[in-house]
Amino acid sequence: MTRLPVFVTRPLLPDPGELEPLLAEIFDSRILTNRGPILQRFESATAAWLGVEHVSLVSNASLGLVLALRHLGITGEVITSPFSFVATSHAIRWAGAEPVFADIDERTLNLDPAAVEARITSRTQAILAVHCYGIPCDTVALEEIARRHGLRVIYDAAHAFGVRQSGKPLAAAGDLSVLSFHATKVFNTFEGGAIVSPDRETKLALDRLANFGIVDDVTVTATGINAKMTELSAAVGLTLLPKVAAAIASRDRVAARYWHALSGVRGLRCLCPPGQEGHNSYAFPVLVEPDYPLSRDELHHRLKAENIHARRYFHPLISDLPMYRTLESAAPQGLPVAQRAASRVLCLPLYHDLDPADQDRIIGLVSSPWA
Ligand SMILES: *Cc1c(COP(=O)(O)O)cnc(C)c1O
């Protein structure tokens, strides 16, 4: 019997019927973009949902990161994690600045504050940290280092929708935080993203930057770009927002099932223990250690042969890609923890409606790959 492929994720979608009233509104008003009425409702709803004050919706997180860096005037060195999706470093370059890679922490796979501090030079202007898999960075340590050295802190919170840290919304951390609403994330608007600002003035400046820097008919005050979210994406977001808490709860149940079945398997290290207050179960990464019967790539292929498409997030490291590997900070010997993680990590399929029978198959294969 051929089975349907199981991918690492599957997007959360509204019922088409639920979208209809908003589609009718768009077709009626003919307002398709440019901070239309649906976007404005969705922006307030997103801020309320996240528990923050000031949100700027944008067309995607990549441009959100570029705008965040541009707004803060960052053109020098930005210390960042090599263990991330390539957009993190690309955004630094598109903003006109230069990435400097620092190693990550063994337990969280997020930037190691001590490694960050060791990379600071007179040219360093900011830290762009990633909450990888939705696991919060050590924001206290990073922001303390930033304060001492006069640096800005921006968070790539693409994975961290809805995550809380010490009872507070993680999206409120740092000078600016950027969320992704891409199809593959916990919450999506097909494509989309948001920048969380500390005050209204910053939010309005970012809104302007996302609209070519236009203030009014005759006034353009910044070299902005087009990073606006459309009314269609906002309509999807407004319809999905009330469903995302239940989707995260379902993800938590799937992740807890993996944890109980796999965390005791010899040679596997599971990264995200269940029941962590405020976590969003964005991913279920496992580290395939040397005493597991297969290598990480062999396990990846073993699953693929069964039409199960786990993903090696994040391999290769950003610092090993051709446009970055000649940087001094990209030298593999300076990033031993990141190198090890990239060679061992595999993210298992995890989404709100993963079929329990499919999950049982995955668990069976991973826990006894030779059975
Ligand atoms: C998905 C992702 C991005 C990019 O988000 P887009 O909305 O697709 O531009 C940036 N950083 C990380 C860590 C991501 O996973």
Side-chain angles (χ1 to χ4, degrees), residues 315-345:
H315 163 89
L317 290 181
I318 301 175
S319 51
D320 285 336
L321 296 175
M323 66 297 290
Y324 299 113
R325 67 181 168 218
T326 54
L327 295 176
E328 208 177 307
S329 65
Q333 60 273 24
L335 305 166
V337 182
Q339 288 288 345
R340 201 156 52 237
S343 69
R344 294 183 178 178
V345 74

Side-chain angles (χ1 to χ4, degrees), residues 34-325:
N34 286 15
R35 299 192 56 78
I38 297 174
L39 177 132
Q40 299 207 21
R41 264 137 65 201
F42 174 47
E43 202 167 68
S44 307
T46 303
W49 199 96
L50 292 171
V52 300
E53 294 266 337
H54 307 286
V55 169
S56 299
L57 294 173
V58 287
S59 51
N60 57 68
S62 300
L63 280 170
L65 288 167
V66 173
L67 294 187
L69 290 156
R70 294 278 298 208
H71 173 73
L72 296 171
I74 309 296
T75 52
E77 291 180 355
V78 180
I79 300 176
T80 192
S81 173
F83 192 76
S84 181
F85 181 58
V86 66
T88 311
S89 288
H90 280 1
I92 296 171
R93 282 256 173 99
W94 277 95
E98 199 52 14
V100 171
F101 300 107
D103 208 2
I104 56 176
D105 179 287
E106 190 80 59
R107 291 158 303 122
T108 62
L109 306 189
N110 288 324
L111 274 179
D112 173 357
V116 169
E117 189 152 28
R119 295 285 209 222
I120 294 174
T121 71
S122 58
R123 296 178 300 280
T124 310
Q125 288 185 333
I127 300 167
L128 174 50
V130 185
H131 303 300
C132 195
Y133 311 127
I135 300 172
C137 291
D138 188 345
T139 55
V140 173
L142 289 174
E143 288 170 35
E144 194 272 325
I145 290 167
R147 209 164 28 246
R148 266 192 290 115
H149 294 271
L151 309 177
R152 301 302 198 130
V153 181
I154 299 161
Y155 291 106
D156 178 340
H159 299 177
F161 188 83
V163 174
R164 298 180 74 82
Q165 186 185 40
S166 312
K168 285 187 295 198
L170 186 59
D175 288 293
L176 293 167
S177 279
V178 180
L179 300 156
S180 173
F181 303 159
H182 183 259
T184 54
K185 308 299 202 260
V186 166
F187 171 75
N188 84 86
T189 57
F190 287 23
E191 291 262 12
I195 311 170
V196 178
S197 291
D199 53 63
R200 186 166 164 75
E201 209 173 294
T202 306
K203 176 225 170 349
L204 293 175
L206 286 163
D207 287 346
R208 280 198 298 274
L209 271 183
N211 187 34
F212 311 100
I214 292 173
V215 178
D216 62 39
D217 290 14
V218 292
T219 320
V220 181
T221 55
T223 314
I225 198 163
N226 183 358
K228 299 188 299 291
M229 179 181 280
T230 69
E231 287 290 274
L232 205 50
S233 280
V236 171
L238 199 54
T239 315
L240 271 189
L241 204 52
K243 299 174 183 288
V244 68
I248 290 173
S250 300
R251 283 172 170 277
D252 288 342
R253 284 192 291 275
V254 175
R257 245 175 127 230
Y258 273 137
W259 177 273
H260 291 300
L262 299 178
S263 60
V265 172
R266 185 154 172 256
L268 282 186
R269 185 155 80 81
C270 300
L271 216 62
C272 309
Q276 301 237 95
E277 194 58 45
H279 192 53
N280 68 1
S281 298
Y282 170 60
F284 197 84
V286 298
L287 295 170
V288 181
E289 309 278 355
D291 52 345
Y292 187 77
L294 305 180
S295 72
R296 186 275 309 275
D297 288 350
E298 286 166 343
L299 176 60
H300 185 218
H301 286 119
R302 177 79 189 85
L303 291 169
K304 218 174 234 183
E306 302 289 333
N307 221 355
I308 294 161
H309 303 270
R311 296 294 298 267
R312 292 170 290 181
Y313 293 138
F314 288 97
H315 163 89
L317 290 181
I318 301 175
S319 51
D320 285 336
L321 296 175
M323 66 297 290
Y324 299 113
R325 67 181 168 218

